[in-house]
Amino acid sequence: MLALEMARDELLVPAPEDTAQTQAQASAASKKKTAALRSWISLDHDGQGTVLDLDKHAIIHRVQIHARDLRLLDPLLSYPSTILGREKVIVLNLEQHIKAIITADEVLLRDPFDDTVLPIVKELQRRLPLSSTNFNGQGEEEDASGVQKDETDEENEFPFEFRALEVALEGICSFLDAQTRVLEADAYPALDELTSKISSRNLDRVRKLKSAMTRLTNRVQKVRDELEQLLDDDDDMADLYLSRKMVGTSPVSDSGAPNWSLASPTITIGSKVSRTSRASAATTVEEENDVEELEMLLEAYFMQIEGTLNKLTALREYIDDTEDYINIQLDNHRNQLIQLELFLSSGTVCLSMCSLVAAIFGMNIPYTWAKDHGYVFKWVIIVTGIVCGSVFLLIISYARHKGLVGS
């Protein structure tokens, strides 16, 4: 019995190594799976949120979206701001934090626990539920037909996808505007300080602020261009009407004839149904071509992002004016240095002439007039000084004439 137990222990010795290796592989696979899973939050019509851990295949199957469209929402890839309208979804990629998929029934928002995404989640939870507002009319019209009143409410309520889109646009516009205000608060004092004192530290500070302004301008410009592109194309705006697409097809065939049964009670009833069907078909076509509601929504945020871009443009112009002022100051200092160099050069020429005269008289050459003619030295000094002064004044007047020296 003891021998059997010892043999069994010997057989079980390699097991811990295999178990450890298996656990390591399982841990690695779990890490890969965790890396593939992404945190999403699903918000419905009532604003109720559900946190989901889904991979891309689950998202594609859930919302019926193409993989190339889902790739726009990958945080590891850098894509510009985009608003895409597809058959059943709206894909939003606004900056690096608002990455959402909007359907007619829910909103899927990526990374809901991020600090920049939490305000968007709270705002969606607050504004997605419909407010119980009723359109109170006159007494007889209100009591005549409750069905007509319900239809009026349905026509006047804001679609679910537009409420979600409005929250996203408001969030990105407010975010970019806040960053612009922060940049303005840092840039204008730095530019004023640079104007008063030109130093390496101030120049480096302004350089960094200008780089940040250029990056922010490109981001704001991309959002503005995306909104402008949507406003210019009615078909793209019509693709964003998901609720309208979800409405069932009208009982009208492609040829415009009603698809009713031939077993109608009377010809009169059939003709009435035919007229009603044609009227409903015309109304449906008009509604499909009507994008005024969305156009007004996009125009509001287009004007807001345009205002943000105008602030950045004004800041760029102020930076350009400051650079021009600094260049003028540098040119002035450069002219002063040129003027000083000209004075020194003129003085050097005059001293060279005096040195030439002194060298001539310093030669060991016998002159007959050098004896008993002491007054000659005085005249040489006077003439040399007059010639040097004349040459100096001539050079200065020529430089002023050419604009090299200020008056």
Side-chain angles (χ1 to χ4, degrees):
M1 187 69 180
L2 181 60
L4 291 174
E5 291 180 356
M6 292 178 62
R8 184 179 61 184
D9 293 339
E10 291 178 355
L11 292 174
L12 293 176
V13 168
E17 296 181 359
D18 297 340
T19 304
Q21 185 177 2
T22 304
Q23 291 178 354
Q25 293 177 355
S27 177
S30 177
K31 288 182 180 180
K32 290 182 180 179
K33 184 176 181 180
T34 304
L37 294 176
R38 294 292 180 181
S39 179
W40 296 78
I41 185 170
S42 174
L43 299 166
D44 56 10
H45 284 272
D46 297 328
Q48 299 296 326
T50 303
V51 179
L52 305 172
D53 290 331
L54 302 174
D55 58 0
K56 62 180 182 180
H57 300 290
I59 292 294
I60 292 173
H61 179 72
R62 183 185 181 94
V63 298
Q64 300 298 319
I65 190 176
H66 292 288
R68 63 176 180 273
D69 296 332
L70 185 61
R71 197 176 296 115
L72 296 174
L73 306 181
D74 193 344
L76 301 179
L77 302 177
S78 178
Y79 284 99
S81 298
T82 308
I83 302 175
L84 293 179
R86 292 297 184 251
E87 182 65 25
K88 296 182 180 180
V89 298
I90 298 175
V91 182
L92 290 180
N93 178 33
L94 300 176
E95 290 297 313
Q96 295 296 325
H97 56 285
I98 302 181
K99 298 179 181 294
I101 300 174
I102 302 175
T103 67
D105 301 323
E106 66 175 349
V107 179
L108 290 174
L109 193 63
R110 195 162 205 164
D111 298 331
F113 301 108
D114 189 79
D115 294 337
T116 57
V117 182
L118 279 176
I120 305 298
V121 176
K122 294 180 180 178
E123 191 67 16
L124 285 171
Q125 291 176 343
R126 186 180 70 86
R127 295 171 61 174
L128 283 182
L130 283 175
S131 59
S132 58
T133 57
N134 295 325
F135 296 92
N136 297 323
Q138 298 297 328
E140 295 182 357
E141 296 178 358
E142 184 177 1
D143 297 333
S145 176
V147 177
Q148 293 180 358
K149 181 175 180 292
D150 293 337
E151 291 177 356
T152 305
D153 290 341
E154 290 177 0
E155 291 176 359
N156 287 282
E157 71 178 10
F158 212 42
F160 172 79
E161 63 271 17
F162 290 170
R163 296 199 302 273
L165 179 62
E166 183 180 10
V167 172
L169 291 176
E170 182 179 349
I172 192 60
C173 291
S174 301
F175 176 76
L176 293 175
D177 188 67
Q179 286 196 336
T180 302
R181 289 197 300 269
V182 171
L183 183 62
E184 286 179 334
D186 294 336
Y188 284 112
L191 292 171
D192 295 337
E193 185 178 357
L194 179 62
T195 303
S196 60
K197 182 181 179 181
I198 301 175
S199 62
S200 300
R201 184 181 67 85
N202 292 335
L203 287 172
D204 184 68
R205 181 183 177 188
V206 171
R207 180 188 62 82
K208 293 179 180 178
L209 290 173
K210 187 176 180 180
S211 300
M213 183 205 66
T214 302
R215 292 192 297 268
L216 182 58
T217 302
N218 293 333
R219 293 159 56 190
V220 173
Q221 184 69 42
K222 182 56 184 175
V223 177
R224 178 196 174 277
D225 293 342
E226 190 66 25
L227 293 177
E228 186 179 14
Q229 183 179 357
L230 281 174
L231 289 170
D232 291 340
D233 195 338
D234 291 346
D235 293 335
D236 289 343
M237 286 191 288
D239 290 337
L240 302 182
Y241 279 83
L242 303 181
S243 298
R244 182 182 296 174
K245 297 177 184 178
M246 294 296 293
V247 176
T249 58
S250 174
V252 179
S253 63
D254 295 337
S255 61
N259 293 330
W260 298 105
S261 175
L262 296 177
S264 299
T266 61
I267 299 175
T268 306
I269 296 176
S271 62
K272 290 182 179 179
V273 171
S274 177
R275 288 195 297 270
T276 304
S277 301
R278 291 192 183 96
S280 63
T283 304
T284 303
V285 172
E286 290 179 358
E287 287 181 355
E288 289 179 355
N289 295 328
D290 184 18
V291 293
E292 183 179 359
E293 187 179 24
L294 178 59
E295 187 175 4
M296 292 176 62
L297 172 65
L298 295 178
E299 281 181 352
Y301 292 101
F302 177 79
M303 295 302 296
Q304 183 176 352
I305 202 70
E306 182 75 15
T308 303
L309 186 61
N310 290 335
K311 291 181 183 179
L312 293 172
T313 303
L315 179 59
R316 176 179 291 277
E317 291 177 354
Y318 193 81
I319 291 177
D320 293 339
D321 294 340
T322 304
E323 289 180 350
D324 294 338
Y325 178 75
I326 291 174
N327 290 331
I328 291 173
Q329 284 188 337
L330 294 176
D331 291 339
N332 186 27
H333 292 313
R334 192 179 298 110
N335 291 335
Q336 292 178 357
L337 292 175
I338 292 174
Q339 182 178 358
L340 178 61
E341 183 181 4
L342 182 61
F343 286 151
L344 293 177
S345 300
S346 302
T348 303
V349 171
C350 296
L351 291 177
S352 299
M353 295 177 63
C354 295
S355 300
L356 177 61
V357 175
I360 292 174
F361 282 96
M363 293 181 181
N364 192 12
I365 299 175
Y367 297 103
T368 57
W369 49 268
K371 297 180 180 179
D372 299 332
H373 295 86
Y375 62 91
V376 176
F377 177 76
K378 297 179 181 179
W379 283 107
V380 170
I381 296 299
I382 294 173
V383 171
T384 303
I386 293 173
V387 172
C388 291
S390 301
V391 171
F392 181 78
L393 294 176
L394 182 63
I395 294 174
I396 297 301
S397 61
Y398 178 79
R400 288 178 178 176
H401 177 72
K402 293 296 183 180
L404 298 177
V405 180
S407 57

